[in-house]
Amino acid sequence: MMTAKATSLDVARLAGVSQSAVSRVFSGASASKSTALKVRKAADELGYRPNSLARAMITGKSRIIGLVVAYLDNQFYPVALERLSNALKEQGYHILVFMAENAQDSISNVVQELIDYQVDGIITASVAMSSDLTQRCAVAGIPVVMFNRGQDGSGHSSITSANVEGGRRVADFLARAGHKRIAHIAGWEGSSTGRDRRRGFIEGLMDHNFEPLDVLDGMFDRDVASQAARTLMARADAPDAIFVGNDHMAFAVMDTLRHELGCKIPQDVSVIGYDDVPLAQWAAYDLTTLRQPVRRMVEATVETLIGKIEDPERPAQKIEIDGPLIARGSARKPEGWTQ
Amino acid sequence: MMTAKATSLDVARLAGVSQSAVSRVFSGASASKSTALKVRKAADELGYRPNSLARAMITGKSRIIGLVVAYLDNQFYPVALERLSNALKEQGYHILVFMAENAQDSISNVVQELIDYQVDGIITASVAMSSDLTQRCAVAGIPVVMFNRGQDGSGHSSITSANVEGGRRVADFLARAGHKRIAHIAGWEGSSTGRDRRRGFIEGLMDHNFEPLDVLDGMFDRDVASQAARTLMARADAPDAIFVGNDHMAFAVMDTLRHELGCKIPQDVSVIGYDDVPLAQWAAYDLTTLRQPVRRMVEATVETLIGKIEDPERPAQKIEIDGPLIARGSARKPEGWTQ
DNA sequence: TCCCTTTTTGCATACGAATGCACAAACCTT
DNA sequence: AAGGTTTGTGCATTCGTATGCAAAAAGGGA
């Protein structure tokens, strides 16, 4: 039983070779069969493993990706986190996770700390970057990819679903199902996803010569969304359909409608969400929603980020990935609708 | 606009002092007002920040904690992750997250990689460590704290809720509510939490001279738990109450009971879970459950881990934290029950 | 077998910050 | 003002690994 962790020098001595030889064996550089064998044997004996930190120091690559995430209570993010983690692991990267409240200086601190740790890249999930931060990352040469949030003119790549198109599709679905008084509890106005879905939704209604009955900002928050639902249903011309800016809020809205206001879904009101988190298909909610294709979004995110790490010259890209509307039981379906 | 990140040497030159002076200013060691001022000014000018990796190399402390987590789809863990992250951040630590399937060699790889990154400590959430791994951590001098999972004889500290007592309390609650045919869909038999809750539950029933109608292993899995519910309800003497080993499975059970088997909860069957995740109080479920006091568990975890990091001689401790039964609408209440 | 090319190998140095040591400066004390 | 003490500072070294360079070994061709 060893008492201290062995270094490459220890291995070198035991194997009767130089430290550089050991390094080369473990970093995959050229080495003869015979030395590789000796080194491996000695290493096993000592329980040696290269020190990732030291390696990072010298190569300038830590193989760590920083992940900044804000809303962990929204099931979409744990799922995305898991997928991102697995995808990056396959590429030999690891994830340093930072929680941030969605406030500028919190994010600023968090990103600065990531820079201090010399991460090779940063993924922000539903978090915006100030231009100052953008600048700092640029100086440090750290590429940033924004997941599920776009930001014009930031110079960062972003991966989102096709939110405008998605909103439009929801509108079309509801209009074709014969709804007349259609309201929207939108995602936070300060986010591109919230704005885009909203815009697409309104445009989509316009295509049917409709106007939304009302549009309220749900701030991606359960309580705010519930309150918005109460407000809507208190109207004399209460809506017969509500499009909610994401599933997380939609669940709160459904709970409020059913258990507090005594509405039947979808008989009295249709409810549609956005994301298609796993919860959406649980029988208790059975939520009709626009699916964000997490798997493909994650793939695109990882590929974009690693591409930029390996070739810093690669220009930023904005990728939008389309997703289908998943019709379930929370919303009346248009005549002749086939999934 | 700088083009490359500045080092302490750059700052030293600009400030007209030695590199050691810069280091001392930033590491809080002694330095005169005047040099501190010069250094700070120069550092600001260059946008200098100490390189955490280099710092980690020399001090031997990375200020990174590794977190190994398995079931991210169970809302308990995202919540715990968020709390852990915040608590550690306050202590100046950061979290390197690793997902692991609950299979020995996956965990083994993951822990090994954490060791490679020289983490100062490891927290495992609902994951067991093989004795080989335990050994490797010991050699590397890395303390391990197990969160929400105990393991006898591992030599690691563990923080759990008082699972035996909790199971007992659930049994008492159901028996006193007048239930006669009480079944249990248990947490995975391979986990201490699953076993302890189950044991406490059975003991608690025995105190009332009851026996459980049946005990099935739900494997902490929604599908397995749903299947178990079907099995139970297919019996001639179907249960009038089911204690489910955690909330995550309880939701699946409730969905199955209500929407597939047409049962009324709690009129036909009472359902009780374990954890009290945020979802449990959503109106759709309104789940009676035994609360795991996450906040206090997290505090204890962080304190135990940091204590051991700062004083490696400190012996391992097993901490159990008691939590209350939260009576909601999914289970009939005993006569005269007051929260 | 000899010379030329290719592959291995060791040496020395670098990465960026922290720290023991010895010396210089500042502060007290009487 | 001299001696003693505390505080501040620079020099040199260290952490563990990777890598350019030059020398050594191995391989190949005629």
Side-chain angles (χ1 to χ4, degrees):
Chain A
M1 158 158 156
M2 308 300 317
T3 175
K5 44 231 138 146
T7 74
S8 58
L9 197 58
D10 299 326
V11 175
R13 279 198 272 260
L14 181 60
V17 297
S18 73
Q19 179 268 328
S20 1
V22 177
S23 168
R24 282 191 262 255
V25 169
F26 278 89
S27 59
S30 63
S32 70
K33 302 262 175 206
S34 80
T35 47
L37 217 70
K38 284 189 290 187
V39 167
R40 287 251 149 65
K41 181 159 169 295
D44 281 351
E45 203 161 319
L46 296 174
Y48 168 79
R49 307 221 63 206
N51 179 327
S52 299
L53 259 38
R55 190 172 259 187
M57 272 234 57
I58 200 96
T59 61
K61 317 249 116 242
S62 63
R63 302 205 72 88
I64 296 180
I65 302 294
L67 177 64
V68 186
V69 63
Y71 306 96
L72 222 50
D73 51 340
N74 175 347
Q75 208 189 10
F76 183 72
Y77 294 102
V79 168
L81 166 56
E82 181 159 10
R83 293 267 173 80
L84 280 168
S85 168
N86 288 332
L88 286 168
K89 188 197 303 192
E90 275 176 22
Q91 310 284 328
Y93 287 88
H94 300 303
I95 291 194
L96 198 56
V97 175
F98 283 72
M99 309 295 164
E101 295 94 68
N102 221 323
Q104 252 336 301
D105 68 331
S106 158
I107 293 170
S108 179
N109 287 335
V110 150
V111 172
Q112 184 59 65
E113 292 187 81
L114 285 175
I115 298 176
D116 294 349
Y117 272 104
Q118 314 289 110
V119 296
D120 290 345
I122 294 179
I123 296 173
T124 63
S126 285
V127 157
M129 301 264 298
S130 69
S131 60
D132 168 52
L133 273 189
T134 296
Q135 174 65 23
R136 300 235 282 281
C137 290
V139 169
I142 300 178
V144 176
V145 175
M146 311 183 67
F147 179 84
N148 203 32
R149 182 71 56 97
Q151 193 170 8
D152 289 333
S154 67
H156 299 304
S157 296
S158 68
I159 316 291
T160 62
S161 65
N163 289 304
V164 175
E165 177 56 24
R168 176 175 254 125
R169 197 136 33 166
V170 170
D172 184 61
F173 183 90
L174 288 173
R176 297 216 332 251
H179 289 290
K180 296 298 176 202
R181 299 185 308 282
I182 309 180
H184 181 30
I185 298 177
W188 178 40
E189 173 70 24
S191 71
S192 67
T193 44
R195 286 192 307 269
D196 288 351
R197 288 169 198 173
R198 176 186 160 168
R199 180 155 66 81
F201 179 70
I202 294 176
E203 288 175 9
L205 287 184
M206 278 170 46
D207 292 347
H208 287 270
N209 293 311
F210 275 24
E211 274 203 350
L213 183 75
D214 203 350
V215 176
L216 300 176
D217 190 337
M219 307 290 289
F220 291 134
D221 181 274
R222 281 179 57 86
D223 292 337
V224 177
S226 287
Q227 187 50 49
R230 286 182 207 108
T231 305
L232 289 175
M233 299 313 287
R235 298 172 58 127
D237 56 344
D240 59 1
I242 304 177
F243 167 42
V244 189
N246 70 3
D247 288 355
H248 181 67
M249 293 190 293
F251 300 132
V253 168
M254 287 179 77
D255 283 346
T256 303
L257 290 175
R258 282 175 174 159
H259 299 98
E260 189 181 319
L261 305 174
C263 299
K264 291 248 172 282
I265 298 173
Q267 292 83 345
D268 302 333
V269 199
S270 284
V271 175
I272 297 193
Y274 207 111
D275 278 348
D276 195 27
V277 298
L279 243 163
Q281 71 170 338
W282 295 8
Y285 292 105
D286 196 33
L287 177 66
T288 294
T289 188
L290 208 128
R291 173 176 296 166
Q292 298 215 73
V294 184
R295 153 160 270 117
R296 284 162 59 210
M297 288 172 66
V298 163
E299 279 167 8
T301 301
V302 169
E303 199 206 301
T304 303
L305 185 61
I306 294 189
K308 183 98 179 187
I309 289 172
E310 289 172 354
D311 171 18
E313 301 308 316
R314 186 185 286 206
Q317 10 183 357
K318 304 206 168 297
I319 299 180
E320 289 198 349
I321 299 178
D322 206 2
L325 189 149
I326 307 295
R328 298 204 182 89
S330 71
R332 199 196 305 166
K333 296 189 181 67
E335 203 103 359
W337 172 269
T338 50
Q339 186 78 39
Chain B
M1 157 158 156
M2 306 301 315
T3 174
K5 43 230 139 152
T7 74
S8 60
L9 198 57
D10 299 327
V11 175
R13 278 196 274 260
L14 181 61
V17 297
S18 73
Q19 179 269 328
S20 0
V22 177
S23 167
R24 281 191 263 255
V25 168
F26 277 89
S27 58
S30 62
S32 71
K33 302 261 174 207
S34 80
T35 48
L37 218 70
K38 284 188 291 189
V39 168
R40 287 250 149 66
K41 181 159 168 297
D44 282 350
E45 204 161 317
L46 296 175
Y48 168 78
R49 305 222 64 207
N51 178 326
S52 299
L53 259 37
R55 191 174 257 189
M57 272 236 57
I58 198 98
T59 62
K61 318 247 117 244
S62 62
R63 303 206 71 89
I64 296 179
I65 302 295
L67 178 64
V68 186
V69 63
Y71 307 96
L72 223 50
D73 52 341
N74 175 348
Q75 206 189 13
F76 183 72
Y77 295 103
V79 168
L81 166 56
E82 180 160 10
R83 293 265 173 83
L84 280 168
S85 168
N86 288 333
L88 285 168
K89 189 198 300 191
E90 276 176 22
Q91 309 284 326
Y93 286 88
H94 301 304
I95 291 194
L96 199 57
V97 175
F98 283 72
M99 309 295 165
E101 296 94 66
N102 222 324
Q104 252 337 297
D105 69 332
S106 158
I107 293 170
S108 179
N109 286 336
V110 149
V111 171
Q112 184 59 63
E113 292 187 82
L114 285 175
I115 298 176
D116 294 348
Y117 272 104
Q118 314 288 111
V119 296
D120 290 346
I122 295 178
I123 297 173
T124 64
S126 285
V127 157
M129 301 264 295
S130 69
S131 61
D132 168 52
L133 272 187
T134 296
Q135 174 65 23
R136 299 236 281 283
C137 290
V139 169
I142 301 178
V144 176
V145 175
M146 311 183 67
F147 179 84
N148 204 32
R149 182 71 54 98
Q151 193 170 10
D152 289 333
S154 67
H156 299 305
S157 296
S158 69
I159 316 290
T160 61
S161 65
N163 289 304
V164 175
E165 178 56 25
R168 178 175 252 125
R169 198 137 33 167
V170 170
D172 184 61
F173 183 91
L174 288 172
R176 296 214 334 248
H179 289 290
K180 296 297 177 202
R181 297 184 309 283
I182 309 180
H184 181 31
I185 298 177
W188 178 41
E189 173 70 23
S191 71
S192 66
T193 44
R195 286 193 305 269
D196 289 351
R197 288 169 198 175
R198 175 185 161 169
R199 180 156 66 83
F201 180 70
I202 294 177
E203 289 175 7
L205 286 185
M206 278 170 46
D207 293 347
H208 288 270
N209 294 310
F210 276 23
E211 274 201 354
L213 183 75
D214 203 351
V215 176
L216 301 176
D217 190 338
M219 305 293 289
F220 291 134
D221 181 274
R222 282 180 55 86
D223 292 336
V224 176
S226 288
Q227 188 49 50
R230 285 181 208 109
T231 304
L232 289 175
M233 300 313 287
R235 297 172 60 127
D237 56 342
D240 58 1
I242 303 177
F243 167 41
V244 190
N246 70 3
D247 288 356
H248 181 68
M249 293 189 293
F251 300 132
V253 168
M254 287 179 76
D255 283 347
T256 302
L257 289 175
R258 281 176 174 158
H259 299 98
E260 189 180 319
L261 305 174
C263 298
K264 292 248 172 280
I265 298 174
Q267 293 83 345
D268 301 334
V269 199
S270 284
V271 175
I272 297 193
Y274 208 111
D275 278 347
D276 195 26
V277 299
L279 242 162
Q281 69 172 338
W282 294 7
Y285 292 105
D286 196 33
L287 177 66
T288 294
T289 186
L290 209 128
R291 172 176 296 165
Q292 298 217 73
V294 184
R295 155 160 267 117
R296 286 161 59 209
M297 287 171 67
V298 163
E299 280 167 7
T301 301
V302 169
E303 198 206 301
T304 303
L305 185 62
I306 295 189
K308 183 99 181 188
I309 289 172
E310 288 172 354
D311 171 17
E313 300 307 315
R314 188 185 284 206
Q317 12 183 354
K318 304 205 168 299
I319 299 181
E320 289 197 349
I321 299 178
D322 206 0
L325 189 150
I326 307 294
R328 299 202 181 90
S330 72
R332 196 195 308 165
K333 295 188 181 68
E335 202 103 2
W337 172 268
T338 51
Q339 187 77 42

